[in-house]
Amino acid sequence: GAVLWLHGLGDTGAGWQGAFGRVVRARPEVQFVHPTAPEAPVTINGGARSTSWFDIKTWPVGISEPEEPDGINQSVEFVHKQLDQIVQSGVPAESIVLGGFSQGGTVSLLAGLRYPKRLGGIVSISGWAANRVNVDAWVHPSAKETNVLFSCGVNDPVVDFGLTKRSGELLHQVLGDKIAITHQPRGAHQPAADEMERVYQFMIESLPDAF
């Protein structure tokens, strides 16, 4: 199995390396892939460049955030290429978990649900649905069978709960019981300990046991 994990705005792949020790202990065969986003100007940073999977225009990120933000389709293509490479290396798509934090969670939802093969699972922590108009039209039929873990903070100061709550509702309309949505009572953008515990458990259940 494999985990492809996407970091948040301004971070690097190295920022999350080593964060999944519990998963490694339970599934020692699993390969972890931690790519770093390209550098691009970000509107909320006054156009300053940083590692970014796509542009963000509202702060806190809210329900008025534009659909199809600049750069997101290129990031989806990048993730699809990474998934294809993992599959070509001999790991079946249904043994791959794709996930991420914040901006990375947003890309994971879009890329994972657009991917033409069913993945083992998709995780979004503090992410949102970047495209909220006609979700059913962009979710690939195979992806409707993929298990999704979507967690967000009720008092998140960076990503407004109005956006994450609506994102969860829209995804639930399309995915039904395949998506597990947790509204965390946290006032931070970073995940809480029990939230990460659920992520570890979801990953372990979604990844194949060693033969």
Side-chain angles (χ1 to χ4, degrees), residues 154-204:
V154 174
N155 298 304
D156 188 327
V158 173
V159 182
D160 185 74
F161 184 55
L163 172 60
T164 47
K165 182 169 184 280
R166 183 71 188 129
S167 297
E169 289 164 358
L170 290 167
L171 291 166
H172 182 259
Q173 284 170 15
V174 175
L175 301 173
D177 62 4
K178 288 289 175 185
I179 187 167
I181 297 169
T182 59
H183 295 161
Q184 289 288 134
R186 58 175 156 89
H189 185 48
Q190 304 288 343
D194 63 327
E195 192 173 356
M196 283 309 296
E197 200 55 46
R198 260 199 296 279
V199 170
Y200 303 147
Q201 199 52 45
F202 176 86
M203 284 181 169
I204 291 165

Side-chain angles (χ1 to χ4, degrees), residues 62-203:
I63 199 77
S64 62
E65 187 64 27
E67 302 268 317
E68 293 270 332
D70 288 346
I72 201 162
N73 288 327
Q74 292 90 319
S75 289
V76 166
E77 276 174 37
F78 168 80
V79 170
H80 284 179
K81 281 187 184 140
Q82 295 263 312
L83 291 170
D84 290 344
Q85 283 169 7
I86 295 168
V87 170
Q88 282 156 16
S89 78
V91 178
E94 62 269 22
S95 299
I96 303 171
V97 171
L98 168 64
F101 168 65
S102 193
Q103 223 194 18
T106 302
V107 174
S108 295
L109 289 166
L110 193 57
L113 293 172
R114 270 185 179 171
Y115 195 59
K117 300 182 176 115
R118 183 179 71 79
L119 297 170
I122 300 168
V123 178
S124 170
I125 303 169
S126 299
W128 61 95
N131 298 352
R132 297 174 295 284
V133 175
N134 201 358
V135 173
D136 196 45
W138 59 259
V139 174
H140 194 279
S142 307
K144 290 182 181 174
E145 295 306 308
T146 303
N147 288 319
V148 179
L149 180 63
F150 179 93
S151 71
C152 58
V154 174
N155 298 304
D156 188 327
V158 173
V159 182
D160 185 74
F161 184 55
L163 172 60
T164 47
K165 182 169 184 280
R166 183 71 188 129
S167 297
E169 289 164 358
L170 290 167
L171 291 166
H172 182 259
Q173 284 170 15
V174 175
L175 301 173
D177 62 4
K178 288 289 175 185
I179 187 167
I181 297 169
T182 59
H183 295 161
Q184 289 288 134
R186 58 175 156 89
H189 185 48
Q190 304 288 343
D194 63 327
E195 192 173 356
M196 283 309 296
E197 200 55 46
R198 260 199 296 279
V199 170
Y200 303 147
Q201 199 52 45
F202 176 86
M203 284 181 169

